[in-house]
């Protein structure tokens, strides 16, 4: 019997993720995987964090989307190196896609690689991309019940960014409820409430990120 | 060589979906598949539509979630028959799950079956559940670029409900942009802007739904 298996299958995701991590570490680049629902405000948060980090870091971005390059165009406007991955229907990025995209960066010229995953609170949970940090982004308009309803993605994340806090007065979002649910799933991970467009909370979050990425 | 294949695999999803549809048709029950991101407001929309439909229809609900029964408990409070499906990690409902859940309803006692899918703009696109109508729910807080970024789910849908319109003044959501993008993907499908908590737009949407479900 002849067994044919694609390289992609042989090199299982976790193994590829370890290779990505080793390559980033060797280049002194800190990888951050950003996950959240469609419209949680991941790109706007990135834009805010770049302002907050200022010249403390030289960031680059991998954008994951089903189709198009809307987010990559936003990042490009900031002068930040960016690669767009179109997953052509796949509901999450995987380590193989990241390995391919990483080849397009000069790792010597950057020190943080932000990976904006496909908007999805489910599928993204199972795939290590080779990052050092996974951040979940949840907007207040999505509701405070999301950690209870989608536990996998919150569990094992290193921080929760609660975005669009300027909308809080117009919703019934309860920060105490999401905090309690999240702390059960990720007891040591901090929570940062932010309004990225107005800049509220961004300085604290950027400071934490700068400090955290020093620890590696 | 012995080949073992689960019933689930043999009966491909589309075939099972046709069986569901035939069973619902035979029982005079109109199936509606409601899809959208986590926190788009699917359950709140359902609560609003039940108020809007009044006693014109006898609805029932299947709730699809990764974990828990938060939404099903909300539906139960309205006295509407409801079955909760926990997908245990799966990012969408499939026709097999619906077939199992349908067995719990007395089809003679209902005439509309609303299926609230797992919060996901990607995975839910490929799975016919046996419904007659697929409705996409998109909240204004998610942004007006979602049809461009997640085209599959919008294509082939029969209506777009733009929810949380009361938040519109606090966002940069452009109804013209989402309308143009959606009309390219689903030219004949209507768009209903609603604020389900306040009730804005619900009467029109419920009237359309009542009329549409008469056409079968």
């Amino acid at each position: 019997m002849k067994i044919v298996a694609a390289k992609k299958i042989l090199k299982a995701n976790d193994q590829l993720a370890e290779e990505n991590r080793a390559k980033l570490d060797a280049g002194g680049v800190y990888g951050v995987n950003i996950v959240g629902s469609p419209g949680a405000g991941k790109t706007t948060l990135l834009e805010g964090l770049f302002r907050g980090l200022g010249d403390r870091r030289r960031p680059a971005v991998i954008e994951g989307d089903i189709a198009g390059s809307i987010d990559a165009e936003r990042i490009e406007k900031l002068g930040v190196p960016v690669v767009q991955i179109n997953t052509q229907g796949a509901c999450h990025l995987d380590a193989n896609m990241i390995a391919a995209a990483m080849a397009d960066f000069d790792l010597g010229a950057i020190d943080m690689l932000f990976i904006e995953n496909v908007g999805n609170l489910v599928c993204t949970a199972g795939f290590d991309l080779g990052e050092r940090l996974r951040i979940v982004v949840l907007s207040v308009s999505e509701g405070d019940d999301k950690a209870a309803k989608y536990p996998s993605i919150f569990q094992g994340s290193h921080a929760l960014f609660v975005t669009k806090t300027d909308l809080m007065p117009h919703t019934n979002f309860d920060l105490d409820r999401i905090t309690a649910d999240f702390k059960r799933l990720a007891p040591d991970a901090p929570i940062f409430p932010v309004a990225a467009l107005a800049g509220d909370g961004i300085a604290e979050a950027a400071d934490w990120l700068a400090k955290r990425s020093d620890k590696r």
Side-chain angles (χ1 to χ4, degrees), chain A:
Chain A
M1 189 202 280
K2 192 182 164 190
I3 298 177
V4 181
K7 190 182 163 198
K8 199 167 160 181
I9 299 169
L10 279 171
K11 287 201 170 190
N13 186 77
D14 283 355
Q15 190 193 325
L16 268 174
E18 285 307 333
E19 292 176 20
N20 290 348
R21 194 153 22 240
K23 210 172 281 181
L24 291 172
D25 281 353
V29 178
Y30 192 76
V32 182
N33 181 6
I34 302 187
V35 297
S37 299
K42 296 181 287 300
T43 314
T44 303
L45 174 65
L46 273 181
E47 293 165 337
L49 288 174
F50 294 157
R51 283 194 300 274
L53 285 167
D55 53 13
R56 284 182 284 176
R57 289 290 181 281
R58 296 168 302 165
V61 176
I62 294 175
E63 284 290 345
D65 279 294
I66 302 291
S69 58
I70 292 174
D71 292 343
E73 287 160 28
R74 289 171 58 182
I75 299 298
E76 199 154 50
K77 276 189 193 148
L78 305 176
V80 172
V82 58
V83 170
Q84 173 80 52
I85 298 175
N86 276 158
T87 65
Q88 319 224 327
C91 56
H92 60 86
L93 295 173
D94 63 34
N96 194 43
M97 299 177 193
I98 299 304
M102 271 170 53
D104 282 331
F105 292 110
D106 173 6
L107 295 186
I110 63 174
D111 42 30
M112 285 192 88
L113 178 60
F114 292 89
I115 304 165
E116 182 180 339
N117 221 315
V118 178
N120 200 307
L121 271 191
V122 185
C123 310
T124 51
F127 288 81
D128 183 0
L129 305 179
E131 74 271 13
R132 283 279 167 204
L133 201 72
R134 190 173 81 194
I135 291 175
V136 190
V137 179
L138 176 74
S139 66
V140 301
S141 43
E142 288 171 68
D144 51 26
D145 58 356
K146 292 301 166 293
K149 290 172 75 174
Y150 301 86
S152 306
I153 192 76
F154 291 89
Q155 201 156 26
S157 285
H158 302 98
L160 170 62
F161 281 60
V162 176
T163 56
K164 310 191 190 185
T165 54
D166 51 319
L167 293 180
M168 197 112 68
H170 312 289
T171 70
N172 49 15
F173 189 89
D174 180 353
L175 192 59
D176 291 339
R177 179 177 177 190
I178 191 76
T179 299
D181 284 350
F182 181 63
K183 286 290 175 195
R184 259 190 297 276
L185 295 163
D188 300 324
I191 299 176
F192 296 99
V194 298
L197 280 180
D200 300 348
I202 286 294
E204 296 83 342
D207 287 350
W208 173 81
L209 201 54
K211 203 174 289 177
R212 176 85 193 214
S213 60
D214 264 343
K215 271 200 207 158
R216 67 178 177 276

